[in-house]
Amino acid sequence: MQICRQMWSGNNGRFDGRHYQLAETLNVPAPISRPHPPIMIGGRGERKTLRLVARYADACNLFGNSPAEVAHKLDVLRGHCADEGRDYDSIEKTVLVMRPPLADVDAYVAEVTEYAALGVAEVQTMPDRHTVDFARQLAEQQVVARLAELA
């Protein structure tokens, strides 16, 4: 992230880091987004990953095994933000929900509702069947419509 930040800063000079030494940090073509492309860091790690989120990221993506686990991770992130002098609320929170939505739609919607209450702005889910069938069944079972009501 330090290298990327330097590339995006317009300083294409030398980089002397702990693990990497570069004669120059060119980024051609330059990103369109200013001051840099949005940075999302995802994972489970509390000590390294969430510290990197607090230091560098515009957004984080957590694995949602349960709302209680995500609440804990967000509390850890809040602490790292305090340590970094970073506004916790400036980081967008997203969750990859591990619960298959079509196995129990009511339970899935209830879980996503809990994530929303924690301040999660977006959830992702993985198809458990062919993607076209998955999307069709999400629509047929009103999953998306029910989730839209949370916004």
Side-chain angles (χ1 to χ4, degrees):
M1 290 309 318
Q2 291 171 330
I3 293 168
C4 290
R5 285 283 181 110
Q6 182 172 321
M7 288 185 338
W8 296 330
S9 74
N11 173 5
N12 62 0
R14 184 168 184 76
F15 178 85
D16 290 306
R18 182 172 166 191
H19 300 287
Y20 299 99
Q21 291 74 45
L22 304 172
E24 57 186 350
T25 54
L26 293 176
N27 186 41
V28 178
I32 295 171
S33 303
R34 296 285 181 237
H36 55 74
I39 299 167
M40 176 184 278
I41 297 175
R44 296 178 190 257
E46 294 180 15
R47 289 179 291 158
K48 291 183 182 178
T49 303
L50 292 179
R51 183 172 285 121
L52 288 171
V53 170
R55 188 171 293 158
Y56 298 111
D58 301 300
C60 67
N61 186 256
L62 305 171
F63 296 100
N65 289 319
S66 72
E69 181 182 356
V70 169
H72 169 74
K73 300 288 185 186
L74 292 174
D75 284 341
V76 171
L77 176 60
R78 191 175 279 109
H80 289 314
C81 285
D83 293 344
E84 292 288 331
R86 173 84 186 271
D87 177 14
Y88 167 84
D89 292 324
S90 71
I91 300 169
E92 183 177 0
K93 288 80 171 176
T94 69
V95 172
L96 174 60
V97 179
M98 304 310 285
R99 174 189 297 274
L102 297 171
D104 183 342
V105 171
D106 291 336
Y108 180 82
V109 171
E111 185 171 311
V112 171
T113 300
E114 290 184 59
Y115 291 131
L118 294 172
V120 171
E122 179 180 300
V123 296
Q124 299 95 32
T125 190
M126 298 295 291
D128 61 356
R129 58 201 72 188
H130 188 279
T131 54
V132 173
D133 293 335
F134 183 74
R136 184 178 299 118
Q137 289 177 31
L138 284 176
E140 289 170 356
Q141 294 190 39
Q142 300 294 309
V143 176
V144 175
R146 291 176 64 186
L147 294 177
E149 294 172 5
L150 299 176

